Amino acid sequence: MNSPQHLAWHETLDMHELVAFQSIGLLKLKKAFPEITDPALKQLYTQAIKGISDNIRELLQFYPLAPRQEQDDENNRNHNIPFYAGDLLALFKTGVRNYAIAITETATPALRNVLKEHLNRGIDMHAKVFNYMYERSYYPSYNLDQLLQNDVELANKALNKTF
């Protein structure tokens, strides 16, 4: 069997999710770091920052292997607004996953009903945040090249932020 010339689409998209999520998390850790006064917690933050930074650097090495589309798209953006929007999207995406898992562990009908309501609200909010981001080209989900370029820019911003 010949070795593929590029990554598969599904693994590229999973890689995108990992890099985007970890980049946002890394920025949040670095922003919080100056506020940490407990030495043991500060050490945990330092280890987390190093570990996540290493993860991002290792994953970015695979970006040149991502499948590419031929499109030219210039995108000048305010750097803070996409970050905050992406953080909000990740919050609701993770919430939807957590509620979906919690429902499968629920035996009490009244609690299950409440969790379903929360899940549906989370799904609706996720859609609203996604649409906000998509309409402003902060999340160009149908343009893989731009999506991956956004990941690289966010990852580099997170890696280069001092703490």
Side-chain angles (χ1 to χ4, degrees), residues 79-113:
H79 293 290
N80 288 327
I81 293 190
F83 166 76
Y84 292 128
D87 190 35
L88 190 60
L89 187 69
L91 173 67
F92 281 98
K93 184 177 200 167
T94 301
V96 166
R97 289 176 176 168
N98 290 344
Y99 270 94
I101 291 167
I103 287 171
T104 67
E105 301 297 330
T106 305
T108 305
L111 177 59
R112 183 180 303 108
N113 288 336

PDB file of all heavy atoms in Angstrom, residues 79-113:
ATOM      1  N   HIS A  79      -8.271  40.793  16.474  1.00  0.00           N
ATOM      2  CA  HIS A  79      -7.773  39.560  17.081  1.00  0.00           C
ATOM      3  C   HIS A  79      -8.527  39.133  18.330  1.00  0.00           C
ATOM      4  O   HIS A  79      -8.561  37.945  18.637  1.00  0.00           O
ATOM      5  CB  HIS A  79      -6.277  39.699  17.392  1.00  0.00           C
ATOM      6  CG  HIS A  79      -5.454  39.802  16.153  1.00  0.00           C
ATOM      7  ND1 HIS A  79      -5.277  38.743  15.305  1.00  0.00           N
ATOM      8  CD2 HIS A  79      -4.788  40.833  15.609  1.00  0.00           C
ATOM      9  CE1 HIS A  79      -4.522  39.113  14.287  1.00  0.00           C
ATOM     10  NE2 HIS A  79      -4.219  40.378  14.447  1.00  0.00           N
ATOM     11  N   ASN A  80      -9.123  40.031  19.061  1.00  0.00           N
ATOM     12  CA  ASN A  80      -9.804  39.655  20.297  1.00  0.00           C
ATOM     13  C   ASN A  80     -11.201  39.104  20.079  1.00  0.00           C
ATOM     14  O   ASN A  80     -11.604  38.159  20.739  1.00  0.00           O
ATOM     15  CB  ASN A  80      -9.866  40.847  21.256  1.00  0.00           C
ATOM     16  CG  ASN A  80      -8.518  41.151  21.854  1.00  0.00           C
ATOM     17  OD1 ASN A  80      -7.716  40.253  22.087  1.00  0.00           O
ATOM     18  ND2 ASN A  80      -8.253  42.418  22.085  1.00  0.00           N
ATOM     19  N   ILE A  81     -11.946  39.670  19.163  1.00  0.00           N
ATOM     20  CA  ILE A  81     -13.328  39.241  18.964  1.00  0.00           C
ATOM     21  C   ILE A  81     -13.411  37.779  18.514  1.00  0.00           C
ATOM     22  O   ILE A  81     -14.182  37.015  19.083  1.00  0.00           O
ATOM     23  CB  ILE A  81     -14.063  40.201  18.012  1.00  0.00           C
ATOM     24  CG1 ILE A  81     -14.192  41.534  18.736  1.00  0.00           C
ATOM     25  CG2 ILE A  81     -15.406  39.636  17.583  1.00  0.00           C
ATOM     26  CD1 ILE A  81     -15.060  42.560  18.130  1.00  0.00           C
ATOM     27  N   PRO A  82     -12.616  37.341  17.532  1.00  0.00           N
ATOM     28  CA  PRO A  82     -12.677  35.924  17.173  1.00  0.00           C
ATOM     29  C   PRO A  82     -12.280  35.010  18.342  1.00  0.00           C
ATOM     30  O   PRO A  82     -12.845  33.934  18.510  1.00  0.00           O
ATOM     31  CB  PRO A  82     -11.686  35.790  16.019  1.00  0.00           C
ATOM     32  CG  PRO A  82     -11.596  37.155  15.442  1.00  0.00           C
ATOM     33  CD  PRO A  82     -11.766  38.093  16.604  1.00  0.00           C
ATOM     34  N   PHE A  83     -11.313  35.439  19.155  1.00  0.00           N
ATOM     35  CA  PHE A  83     -10.911  34.641  20.318  1.00  0.00           C
ATOM     36  C   PHE A  83     -12.083  34.454  21.268  1.00  0.00           C
ATOM     37  O   PHE A  83     -12.399  33.340  21.685  1.00  0.00           O
ATOM     38  CB  PHE A  83      -9.735  35.303  21.047  1.00  0.00           C
ATOM     39  CG  PHE A  83      -9.493  34.728  22.412  1.00  0.00           C
ATOM     40  CD1 PHE A  83      -8.882  33.494  22.552  1.00  0.00           C
ATOM     41  CD2 PHE A  83      -9.900  35.405  23.550  1.00  0.00           C
ATOM     42  CE1 PHE A  83      -8.676  32.942  23.811  1.00  0.00           C
ATOM     43  CE2 PHE A  83      -9.696  34.862  24.805  1.00  0.00           C
ATOM     44  CZ  PHE A  83      -9.085  33.627  24.939  1.00  0.00           C
ATOM     45  N   TYR A  84     -12.751  35.559  21.620  1.00  0.00           N
ATOM     46  CA  TYR A  84     -13.868  35.471  22.559  1.00  0.00           C
ATOM     47  C   TYR A  84     -15.029  34.670  21.970  1.00  0.00           C
ATOM     48  O   TYR A  84     -15.680  33.894  22.680  1.00  0.00           O
ATOM     49  CB  TYR A  84     -14.327  36.863  22.985  1.00  0.00           C
ATOM     50  CG  TYR A  84     -13.311  37.580  23.837  1.00  0.00           C
ATOM     51  CD1 TYR A  84     -12.888  38.858  23.525  1.00  0.00           C
ATOM     52  CD2 TYR A  84     -12.754  36.967  24.960  1.00  0.00           C
ATOM     53  CE1 TYR A  84     -11.947  39.514  24.306  1.00  0.00           C
ATOM     54  CE2 TYR A  84     -11.816  37.618  25.740  1.00  0.00           C
ATOM     55  CZ  TYR A  84     -11.414  38.883  25.406  1.00  0.00           C
ATOM     56  OH  TYR A  84     -10.478  39.526  26.181  1.00  0.00           O
ATOM     57  N   ALA A  85     -15.279  34.856  20.687  1.00  0.00           N
ATOM     58  CA  ALA A  85     -16.347  34.086  20.045  1.00  0.00           C
ATOM     59  C   ALA A  85     -15.997  32.600  20.020  1.00  0.00           C
ATOM     60  O   ALA A  85     -16.853  31.746  20.298  1.00  0.00           O
ATOM     61  CB  ALA A  85     -16.586  34.607  18.627  1.00  0.00           C
ATOM     62  N   GLY A  86     -14.748  32.277  19.707  1.00  0.00           N
ATOM     63  CA  GLY A  86     -14.317  30.872  19.696  1.00  0.00           C
ATOM     64  C   GLY A  86     -14.374  30.256  21.074  1.00  0.00           C
ATOM     65  O   GLY A  86     -14.737  29.076  21.230  1.00  0.00           O
ATOM     66  N   ASP A  87     -14.041  31.027  22.092  1.00  0.00           N
ATOM     67  CA  ASP A  87     -14.121  30.539  23.460  1.00  0.00           C
ATOM     68  C   ASP A  87     -15.573  30.240  23.827  1.00  0.00           C
ATOM     69  O   ASP A  87     -15.881  29.211  24.440  1.00  0.00           O
ATOM     70  CB  ASP A  87     -13.518  31.574  24.412  1.00  0.00           C
ATOM     71  CG  ASP A  87     -13.333  31.051  25.817  1.00  0.00           C
ATOM     72  OD1 ASP A  87     -13.019  29.847  25.979  1.00  0.00           O
ATOM     73  OD2 ASP A  87     -13.480  31.838  26.762  1.00  0.00           O
ATOM     74  N   LEU A  88     -16.476  31.121  23.426  1.00  0.00           N
ATOM     75  CA  LEU A  88     -17.902  30.905  23.685  1.00  0.00           C
ATOM     76  C   LEU A  88     -18.405  29.668  22.941  1.00  0.00           C
ATOM     77  O   LEU A  88     -19.152  28.850  23.496  1.00  0.00           O
ATOM     78  CB  LEU A  88     -18.689  32.150  23.269  1.00  0.00           C
ATOM     79  CG  LEU A  88     -20.154  32.224  23.671  1.00  0.00           C
ATOM     80  CD1 LEU A  88     -20.319  32.165  25.186  1.00  0.00           C
ATOM     81  CD2 LEU A  88     -20.776  33.511  23.125  1.00  0.00           C
ATOM     82  N   LEU A  89     -17.977  29.513  21.692  1.00  0.00           N
ATOM     83  CA  LEU A  89     -18.373  28.336  20.923  1.00  0.00           C
ATOM     84  C   LEU A  89     -17.865  27.060  21.584  1.00  0.00           C
ATOM     85  O   LEU A  89     -18.612  26.081  21.712  1.00  0.00           O
ATOM     86  CB  LEU A  89     -17.831  28.434  19.488  1.00  0.00           C
ATOM     87  CG  LEU A  89     -18.312  27.347  18.529  1.00  0.00           C
ATOM     88  CD1 LEU A  89     -19.792  27.520  18.218  1.00  0.00           C
ATOM     89  CD2 LEU A  89     -17.498  27.394  17.244  1.00  0.00           C
ATOM     90  N   ALA A  90     -16.612  27.057  22.028  1.00  0.00           N
ATOM     91  CA  ALA A  90     -16.047  25.877  22.694  1.00  0.00           C
ATOM     92  C   ALA A  90     -16.789  25.570  23.987  1.00  0.00           C
ATOM     93  O   ALA A  90     -17.008  24.399  24.319  1.00  0.00           O
ATOM     94  CB  ALA A  90     -14.557  26.094  22.966  1.00  0.00           C
ATOM     95  N   LEU A  91     -17.184  26.608  24.719  1.00  0.00           N
ATOM     96  CA  LEU A  91     -17.940  26.401  25.952  1.00  0.00           C
ATOM     97  C   LEU A  91     -19.244  25.660  25.672  1.00  0.00           C
ATOM     98  O   LEU A  91     -19.562  24.668  26.339  1.00  0.00           O
ATOM     99  CB  LEU A  91     -18.235  27.754  26.620  1.00  0.00           C
ATOM    100  CG  LEU A  91     -19.156  27.707  27.827  1.00  0.00           C
ATOM    101  CD1 LEU A  91     -18.489  26.986  28.995  1.00  0.00           C
ATOM    102  CD2 LEU A  91     -19.569  29.119  28.229  1.00  0.00           C
ATOM    103  N   PHE A  92     -19.993  26.111  24.672  1.00  0.00           N
ATOM    104  CA  PHE A  92     -21.270  25.463  24.386  1.00  0.00           C
ATOM    105  C   PHE A  92     -21.090  24.104  23.720  1.00  0.00           C
ATOM    106  O   PHE A  92     -21.859  23.180  23.970  1.00  0.00           O
ATOM    107  CB  PHE A  92     -22.185  26.389  23.576  1.00  0.00           C
ATOM    108  CG  PHE A  92     -22.827  27.411  24.455  1.00  0.00           C
ATOM    109  CD1 PHE A  92     -22.297  28.680  24.550  1.00  0.00           C
ATOM    110  CD2 PHE A  92     -23.916  27.090  25.240  1.00  0.00           C
ATOM    111  CE1 PHE A  92     -22.847  29.617  25.404  1.00  0.00           C
ATOM    112  CE2 PHE A  92     -24.484  28.019  26.098  1.00  0.00           C
ATOM    113  CZ  PHE A  92     -23.946  29.290  26.182  1.00  0.00           C
ATOM    114  N   LYS A  93     -20.072  23.952  22.905  1.00  0.00           N
ATOM    115  CA  LYS A  93     -19.795  22.654  22.288  1.00  0.00           C
ATOM    116  C   LYS A  93     -19.478  21.613  23.361  1.00  0.00           C
ATOM    117  O   LYS A  93     -20.006  20.503  23.351  1.00  0.00           O
ATOM    118  CB  LYS A  93     -18.623  22.784  21.313  1.00  0.00           C
ATOM    119  CG  LYS A  93     -18.303  21.532  20.560  1.00  0.00           C
ATOM    120  CD  LYS A  93     -17.178  21.825  19.584  1.00  0.00           C
ATOM    121  CE  LYS A  93     -17.153  20.784  18.502  1.00  0.00           C
ATOM    122  NZ  LYS A  93     -16.299  21.166  17.394  1.00  0.00           N
ATOM    123  N   THR A  94     -18.624  21.984  24.303  1.00  0.00           N
ATOM    124  CA  THR A  94     -18.276  21.084  25.393  1.00  0.00           C
ATOM    125  C   THR A  94     -19.486  20.826  26.280  1.00  0.00           C
ATOM    126  O   THR A  94     -19.709  19.697  26.726  1.00  0.00           O
ATOM    127  CB  THR A  94     -17.113  21.671  26.213  1.00  0.00           C
ATOM    128  OG1 THR A  94     -16.000  21.865  25.338  1.00  0.00           O
ATOM    129  CG2 THR A  94     -16.703  20.750  27.346  1.00  0.00           C
ATOM    130  N   GLY A  95     -20.275  21.864  26.514  1.00  0.00           N
ATOM    131  CA  GLY A  95     -21.491  21.698  27.306  1.00  0.00           C
ATOM    132  C   GLY A  95     -22.459  20.720  26.674  1.00  0.00           C
ATOM    133  O   GLY A  95     -23.038  19.866  27.360  1.00  0.00           O
ATOM    134  N   VAL A  96     -22.645  20.816  25.357  1.00  0.00           N
ATOM    135  CA  VAL A  96     -23.534  19.886  24.655  1.00  0.00           C
ATOM    136  C   VAL A  96     -23.037  18.453  24.829  1.00  0.00           C
ATOM    137  O   VAL A  96     -23.809  17.537  25.139  1.00  0.00           O
ATOM    138  CB  VAL A  96     -23.652  20.267  23.156  1.00  0.00           C
ATOM    139  CG1 VAL A  96     -24.275  19.137  22.348  1.00  0.00           C
ATOM    140  CG2 VAL A  96     -24.459  21.555  23.004  1.00  0.00           C
ATOM    141  N   ARG A  97     -21.746  18.255  24.673  1.00  0.00           N
ATOM    142  CA  ARG A  97     -21.186  16.906  24.856  1.00  0.00           C
ATOM    143  C   ARG A  97     -21.382  16.411  26.286  1.00  0.00           C
ATOM    144  O   ARG A  97     -21.756  15.263  26.509  1.00  0.00           O
ATOM    145  CB  ARG A  97     -19.700  16.907  24.500  1.00  0.00           C
ATOM    146  CG  ARG A  97     -19.435  17.060  23.029  1.00  0.00           C
ATOM    147  CD  ARG A  97     -17.953  17.146  22.745  1.00  0.00           C
ATOM    148  NE  ARG A  97     -17.709  17.207  21.317  1.00  0.00           N
ATOM    149  CZ  ARG A  97     -16.561  17.511  20.779  1.00  0.00           C
ATOM    150  NH1 ARG A  97     -15.521  17.798  21.546  1.00  0.00           N
ATOM    151  NH2 ARG A  97     -16.405  17.542  19.472  1.00  0.00           N
ATOM    152  N   ASN A  98     -21.116  17.283  27.258  1.00  0.00           N
ATOM    153  CA  ASN A  98     -21.249  16.884  28.660  1.00  0.00           C
ATOM    154  C   ASN A  98     -22.691  16.549  29.016  1.00  0.00           C
ATOM    155  O   ASN A  98     -22.953  15.576  29.738  1.00  0.00           O
ATOM    156  CB  ASN A  98     -20.705  17.975  29.582  1.00  0.00           C
ATOM    157  CG  ASN A  98     -19.201  18.097  29.499  1.00  0.00           C
ATOM    158  OD1 ASN A  98     -18.516  17.223  28.994  1.00  0.00           O
ATOM    159  ND2 ASN A  98     -18.688  19.209  29.993  1.00  0.00           N
ATOM    160  N   TYR A  99     -23.639  17.352  28.543  1.00  0.00           N
ATOM    161  CA  TYR A  99     -25.051  17.057  28.807  1.00  0.00           C
ATOM    162  C   TYR A  99     -25.484  15.765  28.131  1.00  0.00           C
ATOM    163  O   TYR A  99     -26.231  14.976  28.712  1.00  0.00           O
ATOM    164  CB  TYR A  99     -25.950  18.222  28.367  1.00  0.00           C
ATOM    165  CG  TYR A  99     -26.168  19.237  29.462  1.00  0.00           C
ATOM    166  CD1 TYR A  99     -25.361  20.356  29.563  1.00  0.00           C
ATOM    167  CD2 TYR A  99     -27.170  19.056  30.417  1.00  0.00           C
ATOM    168  CE1 TYR A  99     -25.549  21.286  30.573  1.00  0.00           C
ATOM    169  CE2 TYR A  99     -27.367  19.970  31.431  1.00  0.00           C
ATOM    170  CZ  TYR A  99     -26.548  21.087  31.508  1.00  0.00           C
ATOM    171  OH  TYR A  99     -26.738  22.003  32.515  1.00  0.00           O
ATOM    172  N   ALA A 100     -25.013  15.529  26.913  1.00  0.00           N
ATOM    173  CA  ALA A 100     -25.370  14.295  26.216  1.00  0.00           C
ATOM    174  C   ALA A 100     -24.876  13.079  26.992  1.00  0.00           C
ATOM    175  O   ALA A 100     -25.598  12.072  27.118  1.00  0.00           O
ATOM    176  CB  ALA A 100     -24.805  14.301  24.800  1.00  0.00           C
ATOM    177  N   ILE A 101     -23.686  13.170  27.538  1.00  0.00           N
ATOM    178  CA  ILE A 101     -23.149  12.066  28.343  1.00  0.00           C
ATOM    179  C   ILE A 101     -23.936  11.933  29.635  1.00  0.00           C
ATOM    180  O   ILE A 101     -24.300  10.816  30.043  1.00  0.00           O
ATOM    181  CB  ILE A 101     -21.647  12.289  28.619  1.00  0.00           C
ATOM    182  CG1 ILE A 101     -20.845  12.142  27.321  1.00  0.00           C
ATOM    183  CG2 ILE A 101     -21.139  11.318  29.685  1.00  0.00           C
ATOM    184  CD1 ILE A 101     -19.415  12.644  27.419  1.00  0.00           C
ATOM    185  N   ALA A 102     -24.229  13.055  30.290  1.00  0.00           N
ATOM    186  CA  ALA A 102     -24.957  13.009  31.566  1.00  0.00           C
ATOM    187  C   ALA A 102     -26.333  12.369  31.402  1.00  0.00           C
ATOM    188  O   ALA A 102     -26.778  11.615  32.276  1.00  0.00           O
ATOM    189  CB  ALA A 102     -25.082  14.416  32.150  1.00  0.00           C
ATOM    190  N   ILE A 103     -27.002  12.657  30.292  1.00  0.00           N
ATOM    191  CA  ILE A 103     -28.332  12.082  30.067  1.00  0.00           C
ATOM    192  C   ILE A 103     -28.264  10.565  30.028  1.00  0.00           C
ATOM    193  O   ILE A 103     -29.157   9.881  30.535  1.00  0.00           O
ATOM    194  CB  ILE A 103     -28.958  12.668  28.781  1.00  0.00           C
ATOM    195  CG1 ILE A 103     -29.388  14.112  29.033  1.00  0.00           C
ATOM    196  CG2 ILE A 103     -30.140  11.826  28.302  1.00  0.00           C
ATOM    197  CD1 ILE A 103     -29.820  14.861  27.797  1.00  0.00           C
ATOM    198  N   THR A 104     -27.191  10.016  29.465  1.00  0.00           N
ATOM    199  CA  THR A 104     -27.088   8.553  29.383  1.00  0.00           C
ATOM    200  C   THR A 104     -26.868   7.920  30.747  1.00  0.00           C
ATOM    201  O   THR A 104     -27.018   6.708  30.894  1.00  0.00           O
ATOM    202  CB  THR A 104     -25.951   8.116  28.439  1.00  0.00           C
ATOM    203  OG1 THR A 104     -24.686   8.485  29.004  1.00  0.00           O
ATOM    204  CG2 THR A 104     -26.114   8.725  27.053  1.00  0.00           C
ATOM    205  N   GLU A 105     -26.506   8.709  31.752  1.00  0.00           N
ATOM    206  CA  GLU A 105     -26.272   8.204  33.112  1.00  0.00           C
ATOM    207  C   GLU A 105     -27.430   8.505  34.055  1.00  0.00           C
ATOM    208  O   GLU A 105     -27.360   8.210  35.242  1.00  0.00           O
ATOM    209  CB  GLU A 105     -24.980   8.826  33.682  1.00  0.00           C
ATOM    210  CG  GLU A 105     -23.743   8.530  32.876  1.00  0.00           C
ATOM    211  CD  GLU A 105     -23.397   7.051  32.831  1.00  0.00           C
ATOM    212  OE1 GLU A 105     -23.697   6.323  33.795  1.00  0.00           O
ATOM    213  OE2 GLU A 105     -22.821   6.618  31.812  1.00  0.00           O
ATOM    214  N   THR A 106     -28.490   9.117  33.534  1.00  0.00           N
ATOM    215  CA  THR A 106     -29.584   9.586  34.389  1.00  0.00           C
ATOM    216  C   THR A 106     -30.687   8.549  34.485  1.00  0.00           C
ATOM    217  O   THR A 106     -31.210   8.086  33.470  1.00  0.00           O
ATOM    218  CB  THR A 106     -30.146  10.910  33.834  1.00  0.00           C
ATOM    219  OG1 THR A 106     -29.071  11.840  33.720  1.00  0.00           O
ATOM    220  CG2 THR A 106     -31.211  11.479  34.735  1.00  0.00           C
ATOM    221  N   ALA A 107     -31.050   8.198  35.725  1.00  0.00           N
ATOM    222  CA  ALA A 107     -32.128   7.242  35.972  1.00  0.00           C
ATOM    223  C   ALA A 107     -33.423   7.944  36.399  1.00  0.00           C
ATOM    224  O   ALA A 107     -34.507   7.384  36.242  1.00  0.00           O
ATOM    225  CB  ALA A 107     -31.704   6.253  37.065  1.00  0.00           C
ATOM    226  N   THR A 108     -33.336   9.156  36.916  1.00  0.00           N
ATOM    227  CA  THR A 108     -34.501   9.879  37.439  1.00  0.00           C
ATOM    228  C   THR A 108     -35.175  10.662  36.310  1.00  0.00           C
ATOM    229  O   THR A 108     -34.555  11.564  35.725  1.00  0.00           O
ATOM    230  CB  THR A 108     -34.050  10.845  38.559  1.00  0.00           C
ATOM    231  OG1 THR A 108     -33.345  10.095  39.541  1.00  0.00           O
ATOM    232  CG2 THR A 108     -35.239  11.556  39.178  1.00  0.00           C
ATOM    233  N   PRO A 109     -36.442  10.335  35.995  1.00  0.00           N
ATOM    234  CA  PRO A 109     -37.127  10.990  34.874  1.00  0.00           C
ATOM    235  C   PRO A 109     -37.173  12.513  34.968  1.00  0.00           C
ATOM    236  O   PRO A 109     -36.965  13.201  33.957  1.00  0.00           O
ATOM    237  CB  PRO A 109     -38.540  10.386  34.910  1.00  0.00           C
ATOM    238  CG  PRO A 109     -38.349   9.054  35.557  1.00  0.00           C
ATOM    239  CD  PRO A 109     -37.266   9.266  36.583  1.00  0.00           C
ATOM    240  N   ALA A 110     -37.419  13.065  36.137  1.00  0.00           N
ATOM    241  CA  ALA A 110     -37.498  14.525  36.265  1.00  0.00           C
ATOM    242  C   ALA A 110     -36.150  15.169  35.945  1.00  0.00           C
ATOM    243  O   ALA A 110     -36.089  16.195  35.259  1.00  0.00           O
ATOM    244  CB  ALA A 110     -37.957  14.904  37.672  1.00  0.00           C
ATOM    245  N   LEU A 111     -35.069  14.570  36.423  1.00  0.00           N
ATOM    246  CA  LEU A 111     -33.739  15.094  36.123  1.00  0.00           C
ATOM    247  C   LEU A 111     -33.431  14.958  34.635  1.00  0.00           C
ATOM    248  O   LEU A 111     -32.891  15.875  34.019  1.00  0.00           O
ATOM    249  CB  LEU A 111     -32.670  14.381  36.955  1.00  0.00           C
ATOM    250  CG  LEU A 111     -31.230  14.793  36.678  1.00  0.00           C
ATOM    251  CD1 LEU A 111     -31.025  16.284  36.921  1.00  0.00           C
ATOM    252  CD2 LEU A 111     -30.276  13.955  37.525  1.00  0.00           C
ATOM    253  N   ARG A 112     -33.806  13.820  34.040  1.00  0.00           N
ATOM    254  CA  ARG A 112     -33.577  13.616  32.604  1.00  0.00           C
ATOM    255  C   ARG A 112     -34.271  14.711  31.801  1.00  0.00           C
ATOM    256  O   ARG A 112     -33.697  15.254  30.856  1.00  0.00           O
ATOM    257  CB  ARG A 112     -34.063  12.239  32.165  1.00  0.00           C
ATOM    258  CG  ARG A 112     -33.772  11.963  30.690  1.00  0.00           C
ATOM    259  CD  ARG A 112     -34.241  10.594  30.181  1.00  0.00           C
ATOM    260  NE  ARG A 112     -33.674   9.508  30.954  1.00  0.00           N
ATOM    261  CZ  ARG A 112     -34.375   8.744  31.823  1.00  0.00           C
ATOM    262  NH1 ARG A 112     -35.663   8.952  31.991  1.00  0.00           N
ATOM    263  NH2 ARG A 112     -33.780   7.782  32.484  1.00  0.00           N
ATOM    264  N   ASN A 113     -35.496  15.065  32.188  1.00  0.00           N
ATOM    265  CA  ASN A 113     -36.233  16.119  31.472  1.00  0.00           C
ATOM    266  C   ASN A 113     -35.523  17.466  31.573  1.00  0.00           C
ATOM    267  O   ASN A 113     -35.438  18.205  30.599  1.00  0.00           O
ATOM    268  CB  ASN A 113     -37.666  16.221  31.990  1.00  0.00           C
ATOM    269  CG  ASN A 113     -38.508  15.036  31.546  1.00  0.00           C
ATOM    270  OD1 ASN A 113     -38.211  14.390  30.545  1.00  0.00           O
ATOM    271  ND2 ASN A 113     -39.562  14.742  32.300  1.00  0.00           N
TER     272      ASN A 113
END
